[in-house]
Amino acid sequence: MGDLAIDFCGEWYEPSDEDIFNIGREGDLEVDDNPYLHRQFLQVARYDGIWWLSNVGSMLSATVADASGGMQAWLSPGARIPLVFSHTNVIFTAGPTTYEFAVHVKTPSFRQEAREGTSSGDTTIGPVVFTDAQKALIVALAEPVLRREGTGFSTIPSSAAAAKTLGWALTRFNRKLDNVCDKLDRVGVVGLRGGGGKLATNRRARLVEHAVTTHLVTPDDLYLLEKMRGVDEG
């Protein structure tokens, strides 16, 4: 394997140091024949000894995180970010479909120590505390991604479908979704609101991307779907 390799759906790609590697509906990595996906969306290239990931699209953004979930960035159109970790996860949504691929660098600029810690009861992200019901809502939206093994693609359920999974009324689900997005927006998680305080139409996708890449929810949390099914916390 070369210095950098990309894993998507179990297929491996090795960009050369001299070329620009294109990712999108067309290119070196043809993700999917999805009309919502840019023909050229992301690019991987090496400049001055550092690998970079650039968003060359005009509409879509990508969530980029290290394997531990300790570092996360939102890569908007026109932005670029250095690939300095040995393992970086990239997740993005085009239309109804969410995609994920992994970037592996043999000689990373930074090395991380494994994070240790235990969790019980409510989940805290910085100053944010989530109840079991709020976390179950996130799990219901992220379920297809959490049940997928490795990189690939999946479809994020609609609010109505996720509410049905939990046995909740849609009005209750939407109210709790508002609460979860508001909490994360207040601590600086971008992409959950549109301009002028209006909630973004793609907030479910952005919420899933953030929750999965930061390990806010993991496959170990799938039990919450059964635990909170039909439970009314008000």
Side-chain angles (χ1 to χ4, degrees), residues 80-101:
R80 70 173 186 169
I81 188 171
L83 297 167
V84 297
F85 299 107
S86 61
H87 183 166
T88 302
N89 293 319
V90 182
I91 183 170
F92 57 92
T93 302
T97 308
T98 294
Y99 304 89
E100 182 178 7
F101 64 87

Side-chain angles (χ1 to χ4, degrees), residues 134-164:
Q134 290 172 335
K135 195 172 179 184
L137 177 147
I138 301 171
V139 173
L141 289 173
E143 182 182 9
V145 178
L146 295 175
R147 293 194 185 279
R148 184 186 68 209
E149 295 185 3
T151 62
F153 55 91
S154 53
T155 301
I156 295 177
S158 65
S159 292
K164 184 177 180 180

Side-chain angles (χ1 to χ4, degrees), residues 28-208:
D28 302 290
L29 196 173
E30 296 182 357
V31 176
D32 191 12
D33 187 19
N34 180 343
Y36 294 98
L37 182 62
H38 297 306
R39 284 186 172 85
Q40 290 190 355
F41 172 39
L42 300 172
Q43 289 182 342
V44 174
R46 190 178 178 94
Y47 303 107
D48 298 324
I50 298 177
W51 288 100
W52 292 83
L53 178 70
S54 303
N55 184 341
V56 296
S58 59
M59 297 291 293
L60 302 178
S61 296
T63 299
V64 183
D66 69 316
S68 73
M71 186 289 297
Q72 188 203 87
W74 199 43
L75 194 66
S76 57
R80 70 173 186 169
I81 188 171
L83 297 167
V84 297
F85 299 107
S86 61
H87 183 166
T88 302
N89 293 319
V90 182
I91 183 170
F92 57 92
T93 302
T97 308
T98 294
Y99 304 89
E100 182 178 7
F101 64 87
V103 181
H104 300 265
V105 178
K106 185 179 293 184
T107 56
S109 301
F110 291 94
R111 297 185 184 277
Q112 305 130 286
E113 298 294 333
R115 296 190 305 175
E116 296 182 359
T118 58
S119 60
S120 59
D122 291 342
T123 298
T124 303
I125 300 296
V128 182
V129 178
F130 293 97
T131 66
D132 278 351
Q134 290 172 335
K135 195 172 179 184
L137 177 147
I138 301 171
V139 173
L141 289 173
E143 182 182 9
V145 178
L146 295 175
R147 293 194 185 279
R148 184 186 68 209
E149 295 185 3
T151 62
F153 55 91
S154 53
T155 301
I156 295 177
S158 65
S159 292
K164 184 177 180 180
T165 295
L166 292 168
W168 296 355
L170 181 57
T171 52
R172 180 194 176 205
F173 182 93
N174 284 333
R175 184 175 70 251
K176 288 192 176 294
L177 178 59
D178 288 342
N179 292 337
V180 168
C181 290
D182 285 346
K183 283 185 174 184
L184 292 171
D185 178 73
R186 284 196 295 269
V187 296
V189 179
V190 297
L192 295 175
R193 283 191 174 273
K198 183 180 179 181
L199 283 170
T201 56
N202 64 341
R203 61 178 178 165
R204 287 182 292 108
R206 173 57 181 149
L207 175 59
V208 169

